[in-house]
Amino acid sequence: MDDTLIARGLKRTPLPRFLLWLLPWAGVLAFGLYAVYLCFALGLNQTNMDNRFAFGLWIYLDLTVIALGAGAFFTGFLLYILKRKELKAVINSAVVIGFICYSGAVGILMVDVGQPLRAWFTFWHPNVHSMLTEVTFCITIYLCVLAIEYLPLVLKNRRLSEVPGLLVLEHQLHKLMVVFAGVGTLLSFFHQGSLGGLYGVLRGNPFAYREHIFIWPTTFFLFVLSAAAVGPSFILLTTWLVGKITRKQLVAPEVLQTLGKISGWLLLVYVVLKGIDSLVWLNSTSPQTGVQVSSFYANPPFGVQVLFAEVVLLGLVPAVLLLSRRVRARTGLLVAVAATACAGVVLNRYVMTIQTLALPSLPFDSFASYTPSWQEVAAFLAVLGYGVLLYSISFRWLNLFPQERELATKG
């Protein structure tokens, strides 16, 4: 029965072994849901967040997974709008990863607000002067777009495609993918930017505040560009990882090389603009507020080495390496460099969220430290468990990599 649900020409591990693979991830999800229950039943005093650290582990990791999930909208943009046909080999996987990232982020936000039953207030009583309102609307709508893009993959299942009505629905949705790709790109551009712009408008925090281009702080554009830069790298990384775990060749090497090259060029542009932004901020923006720049890096673990690691080691170095044809020709090295690029955006979101809140904003404030509680960690582990479960199920019963059958035949 299980074999009739798997796409024709694809081989998957026996069902008992597959269920054994799912078991630990289901345990991680269950443990995280218990932590979520504690937060709902007893309140946010289960966390180590307070009035100073209103943004903690959850928001930091939300920003991170949303940035890494940008591979979904950017791959769709490249495939459907710019006609990079070679990316058709990974677009299905990118959609699933994007759906997991965004649905997981929305789920953990429901816990973070403390009273999820009042989440509808954001839509019915929006604060039109808040960037978070725009972020909420864009993320929610884009999650709906991702769900619509995910639906045709489900409808292509061997058994479901035998139902005439569902087959027609899948065909019609497929014809609209270019529209959804365009809408997704627009929505992602604004919510990625507003997440960065949120920090750039903090006039009372010299570490985060930035100069503006028209009405947007520079962090608006840097967040968009960094997400677009590492999105292809994350798709490259996950594609390779799934191939290693399943011991299958899922895409041709040229596809991974193309993703690496695209990520390299965008990352190089980002690093140049990030470097310019940092120099202006260090030499002009912050000194004008009367704050010594050295104070930003006076407290461990936030030394100047963090800025160097973010811009140079995890930014400039992987950008240059990804543009090297010799590096891209060696899959193992290419994957390692892509992982380094992803680590760069992870560090950037950490700096913008945690370091921003740790540094004092007023002369009489002191440096604040923050360590997440086990409930915070477990709740986000639930997102990891959920993501692995959904991706594993999708990989088994849906055709995420169209080249897999062809490459298996050649092999």
Side-chain angles (χ1 to χ4, degrees):
M1 177 65 179
D2 176 68
D3 290 341
T4 63
L5 298 175
I6 299 173
R8 290 183 177 87
L10 301 183
K11 293 182 179 181
R12 294 292 181 260
T13 186
L15 184 59
R17 185 181 298 177
F18 177 69
L19 295 177
L20 189 62
W21 158 261
L22 296 183
L23 185 60
W25 300 109
V28 170
L29 175 60
F31 178 60
L33 290 178
Y34 172 67
V36 169
Y37 163 75
L38 292 178
C39 293
F40 283 162
L42 304 179
L44 291 180
N45 59 2
Q46 298 295 296
T47 75
N48 286 340
M49 291 183 289
D50 52 27
N51 290 337
R52 177 72 175 271
F53 266 99
F55 285 1
L57 177 70
W58 288 338
I59 294 298
Y60 155 56
L61 291 177
D62 267 358
L63 294 182
T64 300
V65 298
I66 286 176
L68 297 177
F73 91 84
F74 195 63
T75 304
F77 172 75
L78 292 171
L79 174 62
Y80 295 110
I81 307 300
L82 298 186
K83 305 300 181 183
R84 296 298 300 265
K85 297 298 183 182
E86 65 271 28
L87 297 182
K88 186 178 181 180
V90 294
I91 186 62
N92 293 346
S93 178
V95 168
V96 176
I97 290 172
F99 180 79
I100 290 171
C101 289
Y102 277 80
S103 58
V106 170
I108 207 67
L109 281 174
M110 296 290 285
V111 186
D112 197 19
V113 298
Q115 296 189 10
L117 294 180
R118 297 187 180 181
W120 62 274
F121 277 32
T122 304
F123 304 95
W124 196 252
H125 305 290
N127 179 359
V128 296
H129 301 290
S130 172
M131 283 188 171
L132 288 179
T133 298
E134 185 268 338
V135 170
T136 302
F137 273 81
C138 284
I139 288 181
T140 305
I141 297 173
Y142 185 49
L143 178 58
C144 294
V145 170
L146 284 169
I148 294 173
E149 292 180 337
Y150 182 54
L151 183 58
L153 303 181
V154 178
L155 297 179
K156 282 185 178 180
N157 177 269
R158 286 173 64 179
R159 297 299 295 272
L160 293 178
S161 62
E162 294 174 358
V163 181
L166 296 180
L167 183 61
V168 172
L169 177 60
E170 184 276 326
H171 181 67
Q172 295 301 321
L173 286 175
H174 181 73
K175 292 194 297 185
L176 293 173
M177 281 302 109
V178 63
V179 176
F180 293 128
V183 172
T185 300
L186 181 65
L187 293 170
S188 295
F189 174 85
F190 279 104
H191 81 248
Q192 294 280 359
S194 290
L195 287 172
L198 170 69
Y199 296 97
V201 298
L202 298 179
R203 288 183 175 272
N205 194 312
F207 179 77
Y209 181 71
R210 293 296 192 275
E211 298 290 346
H212 286 52
I213 300 175
F214 299 108
I215 63 172
W216 296 287
T218 55
T219 49
F220 179 100
F221 303 98
L222 291 176
F223 262 54
V224 174
L225 191 53
S226 62
V230 302
S233 283
F234 189 63
I235 298 300
L236 186 161
L237 184 61
T238 53
T239 301
W240 175 86
L241 184 61
V242 173
K244 282 296 181 181
I245 293 174
T246 60
R247 299 178 182 178
K248 298 179 184 297
Q249 186 178 1
L250 304 176
V251 298
E254 293 78 14
V255 176
L256 300 182
Q257 294 170 17
T258 299
L259 289 169
K261 184 176 181 180
I262 293 171
S263 189
W265 277 114
L266 289 174
L267 190 59
L268 183 62
V269 174
Y270 164 72
V271 169
V272 171
L273 295 180
K274 172 69 176 178
I276 295 173
D277 172 76
S278 298
L279 290 174
V280 173
W281 164 64
L282 290 170
N283 293 285
S284 177
T285 309
S286 291
Q288 288 177 4
T289 65
V291 176
Q292 292 185 351
V293 174
S294 59
S295 66
F296 297 148
Y297 302 100
N299 300 281
F302 305 115
V304 70
Q305 69 272 10
V306 175
L307 180 62
F308 178 79
E310 177 192 346
V311 178
V312 180
L313 296 182
L314 303 179
L316 181 61
V317 172
V320 172
L321 291 176
L322 287 172
L323 294 178
S324 170
R325 185 175 301 177
R326 291 184 178 180
V327 171
R328 296 198 305 270
R330 300 173 60 182
T331 302
L333 185 55
L334 174 62
V335 170
V337 176
T340 303
C342 292
V345 80
V346 171
L347 179 59
N348 172 259
R349 295 328 188 238
Y350 177 81
V351 167
M352 295 302 296
T353 303
I354 304 301
Q355 186 172 352
T356 293
L357 296 177
L359 296 175
S361 299
L362 298 172
F364 51 81
D365 280 341
S366 59
F367 180 81
S369 60
Y370 158 80
T371 303
S373 67
W374 73 264
Q375 291 92 333
E376 293 178 71
V377 176
F380 208 90
L381 286 177
V383 176
L384 176 63
Y386 151 75
V388 175
L389 287 172
L390 181 56
Y391 191 93
S392 298
I393 293 171
S394 300
F395 178 78
R396 181 175 183 82
W397 285 298
L398 307 178
N399 187 10
L400 298 191
F401 297 97
Q403 286 187 347
E404 180 185 355
R405 184 186 309 162
E406 176 186 349
L407 293 172
T409 301
K410 289 181 179 180

PDB file of all heavy atoms in Angstrom, residues 298-312:
ATOM      1  N   ALA A 298      32.916  46.638  24.575  1.00  0.00           N
ATOM      2  CA  ALA A 298      33.679  46.610  25.821  1.00  0.00           C
ATOM      3  C   ALA A 298      33.294  45.449  26.733  1.00  0.00           C
ATOM      4  O   ALA A 298      33.999  45.160  27.698  1.00  0.00           O
ATOM      5  CB  ALA A 298      33.495  47.928  26.570  1.00  0.00           C
ATOM      6  N   ASN A 299      32.172  44.806  26.439  1.00  0.00           N
ATOM      7  CA  ASN A 299      31.684  43.756  27.327  1.00  0.00           C
ATOM      8  C   ASN A 299      31.703  42.409  26.623  1.00  0.00           C
ATOM      9  O   ASN A 299      31.119  42.248  25.543  1.00  0.00           O
ATOM     10  CB  ASN A 299      30.245  44.061  27.769  1.00  0.00           C
ATOM     11  CG  ASN A 299      30.132  45.370  28.523  1.00  0.00           C
ATOM     12  OD1 ASN A 299      30.439  45.457  29.696  1.00  0.00           O
ATOM     13  ND2 ASN A 299      29.677  46.406  27.827  1.00  0.00           N
ATOM     14  N   PRO A 300      32.385  41.425  27.222  1.00  0.00           N
ATOM     15  CA  PRO A 300      32.366  40.093  26.634  1.00  0.00           C
ATOM     16  C   PRO A 300      30.962  39.506  26.756  1.00  0.00           C
ATOM     17  O   PRO A 300      30.232  39.835  27.703  1.00  0.00           O
ATOM     18  CB  PRO A 300      33.371  39.315  27.492  1.00  0.00           C
ATOM     19  CG  PRO A 300      33.431  40.059  28.783  1.00  0.00           C
ATOM     20  CD  PRO A 300      33.175  41.500  28.441  1.00  0.00           C
ATOM     21  N   PRO A 301      30.539  38.682  25.815  1.00  0.00           N
ATOM     22  CA  PRO A 301      31.343  38.134  24.711  1.00  0.00           C
ATOM     23  C   PRO A 301      31.292  38.979  23.441  1.00  0.00           C
ATOM     24  O   PRO A 301      31.663  38.498  22.381  1.00  0.00           O
ATOM     25  CB  PRO A 301      30.658  36.785  24.471  1.00  0.00           C
ATOM     26  CG  PRO A 301      29.214  37.070  24.746  1.00  0.00           C
ATOM     27  CD  PRO A 301      29.199  38.078  25.871  1.00  0.00           C
ATOM     28  N   PHE A 302      30.816  40.214  23.556  1.00  0.00           N
ATOM     29  CA  PHE A 302      30.619  41.031  22.356  1.00  0.00           C
ATOM     30  C   PHE A 302      31.817  41.935  22.094  1.00  0.00           C
ATOM     31  O   PHE A 302      31.733  43.166  22.182  1.00  0.00           O
ATOM     32  CB  PHE A 302      29.344  41.872  22.494  1.00  0.00           C
ATOM     33  CG  PHE A 302      28.119  41.067  22.797  1.00  0.00           C
ATOM     34  CD1 PHE A 302      27.447  41.222  24.000  1.00  0.00           C
ATOM     35  CD2 PHE A 302      27.655  40.128  21.894  1.00  0.00           C
ATOM     36  CE1 PHE A 302      26.318  40.473  24.280  1.00  0.00           C
ATOM     37  CE2 PHE A 302      26.531  39.370  22.166  1.00  0.00           C
ATOM     38  CZ  PHE A 302      25.864  39.540  23.369  1.00  0.00           C
ATOM     39  N   GLY A 303      32.951  41.339  21.789  1.00  0.00           N
ATOM     40  CA  GLY A 303      34.129  42.104  21.444  1.00  0.00           C
ATOM     41  C   GLY A 303      34.121  42.473  19.965  1.00  0.00           C
ATOM     42  O   GLY A 303      33.247  42.058  19.197  1.00  0.00           O
ATOM     43  N   VAL A 304      35.125  43.247  19.550  1.00  0.00           N
ATOM     44  CA  VAL A 304      35.217  43.668  18.157  1.00  0.00           C
ATOM     45  C   VAL A 304      35.410  42.481  17.226  1.00  0.00           C
ATOM     46  O   VAL A 304      35.117  42.555  16.022  1.00  0.00           O
ATOM     47  CB  VAL A 304      36.371  44.688  17.991  1.00  0.00           C
ATOM     48  CG1 VAL A 304      37.718  44.004  18.171  1.00  0.00           C
ATOM     49  CG2 VAL A 304      36.297  45.381  16.646  1.00  0.00           C
ATOM     50  N   GLN A 305      35.857  41.356  17.790  1.00  0.00           N
ATOM     51  CA  GLN A 305      36.031  40.156  16.966  1.00  0.00           C
ATOM     52  C   GLN A 305      34.705  39.650  16.412  1.00  0.00           C
ATOM     53  O   GLN A 305      34.683  38.969  15.388  1.00  0.00           O
ATOM     54  CB  GLN A 305      36.718  39.046  17.772  1.00  0.00           C
ATOM     55  CG  GLN A 305      35.904  38.449  18.890  1.00  0.00           C
ATOM     56  CD  GLN A 305      36.047  39.205  20.201  1.00  0.00           C
ATOM     57  OE1 GLN A 305      36.614  40.293  20.224  1.00  0.00           O
ATOM     58  NE2 GLN A 305      35.545  38.636  21.283  1.00  0.00           N
ATOM     59  N   VAL A 306      33.608  39.988  17.074  1.00  0.00           N
ATOM     60  CA  VAL A 306      32.298  39.569  16.574  1.00  0.00           C
ATOM     61  C   VAL A 306      31.995  40.266  15.248  1.00  0.00           C
ATOM     62  O   VAL A 306      31.522  39.647  14.290  1.00  0.00           O
ATOM     63  CB  VAL A 306      31.195  39.866  17.610  1.00  0.00           C
ATOM     64  CG1 VAL A 306      29.813  39.537  17.039  1.00  0.00           C
ATOM     65  CG2 VAL A 306      31.434  39.073  18.885  1.00  0.00           C
ATOM     66  N   LEU A 307      32.259  41.571  15.188  1.00  0.00           N
ATOM     67  CA  LEU A 307      32.053  42.314  13.947  1.00  0.00           C
ATOM     68  C   LEU A 307      32.971  41.799  12.850  1.00  0.00           C
ATOM     69  O   LEU A 307      32.549  41.645  11.688  1.00  0.00           O
ATOM     70  CB  LEU A 307      32.303  43.805  14.183  1.00  0.00           C
ATOM     71  CG  LEU A 307      32.137  44.720  12.973  1.00  0.00           C
ATOM     72  CD1 LEU A 307      30.707  44.679  12.453  1.00  0.00           C
ATOM     73  CD2 LEU A 307      32.532  46.158  13.325  1.00  0.00           C
ATOM     74  N   PHE A 308      34.222  41.513  13.195  1.00  0.00           N
ATOM     75  CA  PHE A 308      35.177  40.982  12.211  1.00  0.00           C
ATOM     76  C   PHE A 308      34.709  39.624  11.690  1.00  0.00           C
ATOM     77  O   PHE A 308      34.768  39.360  10.487  1.00  0.00           O
ATOM     78  CB  PHE A 308      36.562  40.865  12.846  1.00  0.00           C
ATOM     79  CG  PHE A 308      37.599  40.282  11.934  1.00  0.00           C
ATOM     80  CD1 PHE A 308      38.202  41.062  10.963  1.00  0.00           C
ATOM     81  CD2 PHE A 308      37.962  38.937  12.029  1.00  0.00           C
ATOM     82  CE1 PHE A 308      39.161  40.525  10.101  1.00  0.00           C
ATOM     83  CE2 PHE A 308      38.918  38.391  11.189  1.00  0.00           C
ATOM     84  CZ  PHE A 308      39.517  39.180  10.210  1.00  0.00           C
ATOM     85  N   ALA A 309      34.252  38.778  12.594  1.00  0.00           N
ATOM     86  CA  ALA A 309      33.785  37.450  12.182  1.00  0.00           C
ATOM     87  C   ALA A 309      32.571  37.559  11.269  1.00  0.00           C
ATOM     88  O   ALA A 309      32.475  36.854  10.251  1.00  0.00           O
ATOM     89  CB  ALA A 309      33.445  36.618  13.418  1.00  0.00           C
ATOM     90  N   GLU A 310      31.645  38.461  11.602  1.00  0.00           N
ATOM     91  CA  GLU A 310      30.423  38.594  10.801  1.00  0.00           C
ATOM     92  C   GLU A 310      30.712  39.109   9.397  1.00  0.00           C
ATOM     93  O   GLU A 310      30.204  38.561   8.417  1.00  0.00           O
ATOM     94  CB  GLU A 310      29.454  39.540  11.514  1.00  0.00           C
ATOM     95  CG  GLU A 310      28.181  39.804  10.725  1.00  0.00           C
ATOM     96  CD  GLU A 310      27.374  40.956  11.282  1.00  0.00           C
ATOM     97  OE1 GLU A 310      27.645  41.392  12.426  1.00  0.00           O
ATOM     98  OE2 GLU A 310      26.475  41.441  10.567  1.00  0.00           O
ATOM     99  N   VAL A 311      31.527  40.157   9.292  1.00  0.00           N
ATOM    100  CA  VAL A 311      31.727  40.814   7.999  1.00  0.00           C
ATOM    101  C   VAL A 311      32.799  40.116   7.163  1.00  0.00           C
ATOM    102  O   VAL A 311      32.630  39.951   5.943  1.00  0.00           O
ATOM    103  CB  VAL A 311      32.089  42.300   8.206  1.00  0.00           C
ATOM    104  CG1 VAL A 311      32.349  42.979   6.862  1.00  0.00           C
ATOM    105  CG2 VAL A 311      30.974  43.021   8.950  1.00  0.00           C
ATOM    106  N   VAL A 312      33.878  39.689   7.794  1.00  0.00           N
ATOM    107  CA  VAL A 312      35.025  39.148   7.046  1.00  0.00           C
ATOM    108  C   VAL A 312      35.000  37.627   6.986  1.00  0.00           C
ATOM    109  O   VAL A 312      34.863  37.029   5.910  1.00  0.00           O
ATOM    110  CB  VAL A 312      36.351  39.651   7.644  1.00  0.00           C
ATOM    111  CG1 VAL A 312      37.525  39.073   6.854  1.00  0.00           C
ATOM    112  CG2 VAL A 312      36.401  41.175   7.623  1.00  0.00           C
TER     113      VAL A 312
END
